[in-house]
Amino acid sequence: MSSATTPARGRRRSEQTRLAILTAAYELTTEVGYPDLTIEGIAARAGAGKQTVYRWWPTKADVLLEALALKADLKVSTADQGSFEAELDAFLQDSAALMAFPGVAPVLRSLMAEAQRDADFRRRFRDGFLLKRRAALETIVERAAARGDKPDRLTGAFAADVVFGLIWYRILATERLLDEDDIAALEQLLTEHPGKE
Amino acid sequence: MSSATTPARGRRRSEQTRLAILTAAYELTTEVGYPDLTIEGIAARAGAGKQTVYRWWPTKADVLLEALALKADLKVSTADQGSFEAELDAFLQDSAALMAFPGVAPVLRSLMAEAQRDADFRRRFRDGFLLKRRAALETIVERAAARGDKPDRLTGAFAADVVFGLIWYRILATERLLDEDDIAALEQLLTEHPGKE
Amino acid sequence: MSSATTPARGRRRSEQTRLAILTAAYELTTEVGYPDLTIEGIAARAGAGKQTVYRWWPTKADVLLEALALKADLKVSTADQGSFEAELDAFLQDSAALMAFPGVAPVLRSLMAEAQRDADFRRRFRDGFLLKRRAALETIVERAAARGDKPDRLTGAFAADVVFGLIWYRILATERLLDEDDIAALEQLLTEHPGKE
Amino acid sequence: MSSATTPARGRRRSEQTRLAILTAAYELTTEVGYPDLTIEGIAARAGAGKQTVYRWWPTKADVLLEALALKADLKVSTADQGSFEAELDAFLQDSAALMAFPGVAPVLRSLMAEAQRDADFRRRFRDGFLLKRRAALETIVERAAARGDKPDRLTGAFAADVVFGLIWYRILATERLLDEDDIAALEQLLTEHPGKE
DNA sequence: GGGTAACCGAGACGGTACGTCTCGTCTTCCG
DNA sequence: CGGAAGACGAGACGTACCGTCTCGGTTACCC
């Protein structure tokens, strides 16, 4: 894709300011919590003007969404490991590790909450976060299907709903994270092949 | 337990006003959405003073939580129907019907979002809504366990996490409600007895 | 005028409560100041209901006006003492003493302020306080006029304006009270007979 | 004194808004009276936000004090006119004219009343209004003293108390303004030289 | 001595302004 | 011309009192 955009006139966006804003947002939300996080506060902490924040991000949730990518490794492994069970386990271990990363769980809870309030942000959050992780899991299930290594009636979409349902329900409703027993139970639930016998 | 409270001095709380406030809150949230719902707006619509709202409910979310009980039938059947499968089906059908009730799904999404922001409300929401429904499902699973009519490794708590996880994930992340296929898939997932063969 | 009112049916007004309210009002105004004095506060301090206060006094200023009479001796001597100078001196000494009584000056300042805001109270304050003291001074001046013991052009009304003007201006604008020098200067100003020589 | 303040960053104060607020305050107080004058009302009438009013004035009384200077000519002549009597007459005529200016007397009554309630405003009212006019009168008396053109025992401070006492007492307690007879009587009272004969 | 009327403390009610807070925009100057 | 500083219009927040209106309960007169 060639650069069809104008070749950038005037002063260029300050990368330093961008990082200062993202860092300030992430720190502030851990300190005061998402509800008391304000654009004014972020700008002040970053030594930036409010307008600079508004110029590049539409809401504080979007700042945080970008800050999250800066702070936490959002990548998830989808490498072919030979069996559905192994790949599912890798995925769940990755997910549990992400949630255990300092500050990540509260930020995700806040972003999911914000997504309920703001329909525009909901779309950005879905496309920029939820669907990416979902796609990884669906890839795994479909690869298993191709292998014949999967319960018959389990579609990728339904499996994703069950897995992410459990993860998010734990975050949002019970404030407990996934532990080894949960992962084992989930794997058992999704990999048993009752119809095969 | 006898009434140890003082025998009610002063003017009594107005039930008429209480209903007007709850109705106003429920109507307003369907009209303008939860973020634009304000205590001022509720009071104005109800013909009540702001202080009257604040006197009885700490936040607008609490008003809505109580309004929900007024508007929608929150009861869930836990009657013994002879088999785990039948009772689970009844529970899921009840839950799907509740969600399909006009205005209920958006209100629940908003309340769950609010519960992420406000730790005090989170407790009230959990105790006043989430745990009640959860208890019903756990009752069903435990009755099945007593009957020997249940997959071996499925605990009531884990089953509840999976079921409510799916329901809430659908509401919060996909905006789709449970349909018959979902219910069938969920029942299949939870009732197969792989260890029995 | 005979008592045309109905001969008092029902429970009689509680003198104890009346005194409790007046005392509470006077104490509270010295503690928190007139602006933070509230009917609710008076009632609470007196152990009375708000309605009981509203039943007998239209405003907090009226409570305070009556409380003033309870706490401070508002009487002023108009006895014939033989000379204008002696009677004027007695009046001014009385007035200075009243102002020096603990709590009186702040209450009077507040009542005069309230009289500027509330036209109804203004009339009650004028009739119930200002005019009574003014009448005393005018009596003195007129008695002096009858004796021929007074500067020619000094009318009672103008003398009263000058005297009360000075007293009130001191209270309201300078927060200084009348001292002996002021009284002497005022007496000199009003008793010199330049035209007589 | 050089300007030690920082050279003004950010958006400058809007003079247009300032005038709109002062005008709105003055108009509203004449329409509804000082007690029903509210900051909210002033802001609404001026098309301004409440915060803009609060940013620049601590109370509604301060808005009115500044509005007064905008609407009425508060200047008072202290020019040397050769005699105490002539200068005193000029001062009293000026003062009577100010009071007769539309809306001025009610505003002054309200500000004096407010000064009784709010100690902080009292100081600002004293320094910003009362003392300025007082200084003018004291200048006149002292110039007369230098000329030997003044009753022996009359100090400037006492003369000011008598003059302003009369003026304010008329405004606050009698709702009558100074007329020609009052001015004549006051001049006679202050200029007679009984000791000279 | 029962009936009835006015009082009492308590406190909920509809209102309304308070002063604060944050929003997102606009304006100004500096680099 | 990007960015900081910060004033601006807007409007909800939660609080405080207002003055009114029930309540249940207490006197005190009247028949």
Side-chain angles (χ1 to χ4, degrees):
Chain A
M1 178 181 57
S2 70
S3 168
T5 56
T6 25
R9 302 244 299 149
R11 188 169 172 178
R12 237 50 63 72
R13 177 175 185 183
S14 162
E15 179 66 8
Q16 179 181 323
T17 295
R18 177 180 160 268
L19 293 178
I21 289 169
L22 295 177
T23 302
Y26 200 84
E27 289 174 3
L28 270 176
T29 198
T30 64
E31 292 172 18
V32 304
Y34 182 79
D36 290 340
L37 180 70
T38 65
I39 299 262
E40 300 209 335
I42 294 170
R45 165 80 73 119
K50 288 168 60 176
Q51 198 57 258
T52 303
V53 182
Y54 280 111
R55 191 163 9 240
W56 302 107
W57 297 275
T59 71
K60 63 175 178 174
D62 291 272
V63 182
L64 224 39
L65 180 55
E66 188 169 334
L68 186 68
L70 191 72
K71 294 292 169 183
D73 182 8
L74 300 182
K75 282 189 284 293
V76 65
S77 158
T78 57
D80 190 327
Q81 309 208 1
S83 78
F84 178 45
E85 206 153 348
E87 292 175 9
L88 179 59
D89 187 64
F91 179 87
L92 292 174
Q93 299 292 351
D94 275 2
S95 295
L98 172 61
M99 293 305 175
F101 195 90
V104 167
V107 167
L108 283 178
R109 297 179 41 196
S110 302
L111 294 185
M112 182 58 101
E114 193 59 44
Q116 307 310 312
R117 312 184 150 234
D118 178 343
D120 292 334
F121 176 71
R122 176 152 60 238
R123 198 170 28 72
R124 294 190 294 273
F125 181 55
R126 202 125 72 189
D127 297 346
F129 184 83
L130 294 180
L131 290 186
K132 286 185 178 170
R133 301 195 71 78
R134 199 182 163 93
L137 184 54
E138 290 181 349
T139 297
I140 291 171
V141 177
E142 277 149 24
R143 190 186 297 145
R147 270 191 218 110
D149 178 22
K150 183 195 67 100
D152 291 350
R153 299 244 192 63
L154 191 67
T155 66
F158 186 73
D161 285 354
V162 170
V163 170
F164 289 112
L166 183 68
I167 293 173
W168 278 107
Y169 182 74
R170 283 292 179 80
I171 295 176
L172 299 173
T174 69
E175 288 174 287
R176 289 171 45 216
L177 299 183
L178 287 194
D179 60 22
E180 289 300 323
D181 290 346
D182 296 319
I183 291 176
L186 203 48
E187 290 173 1
Q188 187 193 15
L189 194 71
L190 295 175
T191 56
E192 283 170 349
H193 297 208
K196 280 195 167 177
E197 264 74 352
Chain B
M1 180 181 56
S2 69
S3 167
T5 57
T6 27
R9 307 250 283 155
R11 185 175 178 173
R12 243 44 70 69
R13 178 175 184 181
S14 163
E15 179 65 10
Q16 179 180 322
T17 294
R18 177 181 159 266
L19 294 178
I21 289 169
L22 294 177
T23 301
Y26 200 84
E27 289 174 2
L28 271 176
T29 198
T30 65
E31 292 173 18
V32 303
Y34 182 80
D36 290 340
L37 179 70
T38 64
I39 298 263
E40 300 208 332
I42 294 170
R45 165 81 73 117
K50 288 171 61 175
Q51 196 57 254
T52 302
V53 182
Y54 282 110
R55 190 178 293 119
W56 301 108
W57 296 276
T59 71
K60 63 176 179 174
D62 291 271
V63 181
L64 225 38
L65 179 56
E66 188 169 334
L68 188 67
L70 190 71
K71 295 293 169 183
D73 183 8
L74 300 182
K75 281 187 283 295
V76 66
S77 159
T78 55
D80 191 327
Q81 309 209 1
S83 78
F84 178 45
E85 206 153 348
E87 293 176 9
L88 179 60
D89 186 65
F91 179 88
L92 291 174
Q93 298 291 351
D94 274 2
S95 296
L98 172 61
M99 294 306 174
F101 196 91
V104 166
V107 166
L108 284 179
R109 294 172 20 128
S110 301
L111 295 185
M112 182 59 100
E114 193 60 43
Q116 306 311 312
R117 310 182 152 237
D118 178 343
D120 293 333
F121 176 70
R122 177 153 59 239
R123 198 170 27 72
R124 294 191 293 272
F125 181 55
R126 203 124 74 187
D127 297 345
F129 185 83
L130 295 180
L131 290 186
K132 286 185 178 170
R133 300 195 73 79
R134 202 183 160 91
L137 183 54
E138 290 180 348
T139 297
I140 291 171
V141 177
E142 278 150 24
R143 191 186 297 145
R147 270 193 216 109
D149 178 22
K150 185 196 64 101
D152 291 350
R153 298 248 193 59
L154 191 66
T155 66
F158 186 73
D161 284 354
V162 170
V163 169
F164 289 112
L166 182 67
I167 293 174
W168 277 106
Y169 183 73
R170 283 293 179 80
I171 296 176
L172 299 173
T174 70
E175 288 175 285
R176 289 171 45 216
L177 300 182
L178 286 194
D179 61 22
E180 289 299 324
D181 290 346
D182 295 319
I183 292 176
L186 204 45
E187 289 173 2
Q188 187 193 13
L189 194 70
L190 296 175
T191 57
E192 283 171 349
H193 296 207
K196 278 194 169 178
E197 264 70 356
Chain C
M1 181 179 58
S2 69
S3 168
T5 58
T6 25
R9 302 248 297 155
R11 184 175 178 172
R12 238 49 70 68
R13 177 176 184 181
S14 163
E15 179 66 9
Q16 180 181 323
T17 294
R18 177 180 160 266
L19 293 179
I21 289 169
L22 294 177
T23 301
Y26 200 85
E27 289 174 3
L28 271 176
T29 199
T30 65
E31 290 172 19
V32 303
Y34 182 81
D36 290 341
L37 179 69
T38 65
I39 298 264
E40 299 209 335
I42 294 170
R45 163 82 72 118
K50 289 169 60 176
Q51 195 58 261
T52 303
V53 182
Y54 281 111
R55 195 171 357 248
W56 302 108
W57 296 275
T59 72
K60 64 175 178 174
D62 290 273
V63 181
L64 224 39
L65 180 56
E66 187 169 333
L68 188 67
L70 191 71
K71 294 292 168 183
D73 183 8
L74 300 183
K75 281 188 285 294
V76 65
S77 159
T78 56
D80 189 329
Q81 307 208 2
S83 78
F84 178 45
E85 206 154 347
E87 292 176 9
L88 179 60
D89 187 65
F91 179 87
L92 292 174
Q93 298 292 350
D94 274 3
S95 297
L98 172 60
M99 295 306 175
F101 195 91
V104 166
V107 167
L108 283 178
R109 297 178 37 186
S110 301
L111 295 185
M112 181 59 100
E114 193 59 44
Q116 307 310 312
R117 310 184 152 233
D118 178 343
D120 292 334
F121 176 71
R122 177 153 58 239
R123 198 170 28 73
R124 295 191 293 274
F125 181 54
R126 201 124 73 188
D127 297 346
F129 184 83
L130 294 180
L131 290 185
K132 286 186 179 170
R133 300 195 71 78
R134 200 182 162 90
L137 184 54
E138 289 179 348
T139 298
I140 291 171
V141 176
E142 278 150 23
R143 191 187 296 145
R147 269 193 217 108
D149 180 20
K150 185 194 65 101
D152 290 350
R153 299 245 191 64
L154 191 68
T155 67
F158 186 75
D161 285 355
V162 170
V163 169
F164 289 111
L166 183 67
I167 292 174
W168 278 105
Y169 182 74
R170 283 292 179 82
I171 296 176
L172 300 173
T174 70
E175 287 175 287
R176 290 171 45 216
L177 299 183
L178 286 194
D179 61 21
E180 288 299 323
D181 290 347
D182 296 318
I183 292 177
L186 202 49
E187 290 173 0
Q188 187 192 12
L189 193 70
L190 295 176
T191 56
E192 281 173 349
H193 296 210
K196 278 197 168 176
E197 263 75 354
Chain D
M1 179 180 58
S2 70
S3 167
T5 58
T6 26
R9 306 253 287 155
R11 184 175 180 174
R12 242 42 73 67
R13 177 176 186 181
S14 164
E15 179 66 10
Q16 180 180 322
T17 294
R18 178 181 159 265
L19 293 179
I21 288 169
L22 294 177
T23 301
Y26 200 84
E27 289 174 4
L28 272 176
T29 198
T30 64
E31 291 173 18
V32 303
Y34 182 81
D36 290 341
L37 180 70
T38 65
I39 297 264
E40 300 208 332
I42 293 170
R45 165 82 71 117
K50 289 170 61 174
Q51 196 58 256
T52 302
V53 181
Y54 281 110
R55 191 178 294 120
W56 301 109
W57 295 276
T59 71
K60 63 175 178 174
D62 291 272
V63 181
L64 226 37
L65 179 56
E66 188 169 333
L68 188 67
L70 190 71
K71 294 292 169 184
D73 183 8
L74 300 183
K75 282 188 283 295
V76 65
S77 158
T78 55
D80 189 328
Q81 308 208 1
S83 79
F84 178 45
E85 205 153 350
E87 291 176 10
L88 179 60
D89 186 65
F91 179 88
L92 292 174
Q93 299 292 353
D94 274 2
S95 296
L98 172 61
M99 294 305 175
F101 195 90
V104 166
V107 167
L108 284 179
R109 292 172 22 127
S110 301
L111 295 185
M112 182 59 100
E114 194 60 44
Q116 307 310 312
R117 311 184 150 234
D118 178 341
D120 292 333
F121 176 70
R122 177 153 58 240
R123 198 168 27 72
R124 295 190 293 273
F125 180 54
R126 201 125 72 189
D127 297 346
F129 184 84
L130 294 180
L131 290 185
K132 286 186 178 170
R133 299 196 72 79
R134 202 182 159 90
L137 183 54
E138 290 180 348
T139 297
I140 290 172
V141 176
E142 278 150 22
R143 190 186 299 146
R147 272 194 215 107
D149 179 22
K150 185 194 66 104
D152 291 350
R153 299 247 191 62
L154 191 68
T155 67
F158 186 74
D161 285 354
V162 169
V163 169
F164 290 112
L166 183 66
I167 293 174
W168 278 106
Y169 183 74
R170 283 292 178 82
I171 296 176
L172 300 173
T174 70
E175 288 175 283
R176 289 170 46 215
L177 299 183
L178 286 193
D179 60 21
E180 288 299 324
D181 289 347
D182 295 319
I183 292 177
L186 204 47
E187 289 173 0
Q188 188 192 13
L189 194 70
L190 295 176
T191 56
E192 283 172 348
H193 296 210
K196 277 196 169 178
E197 264 74 354

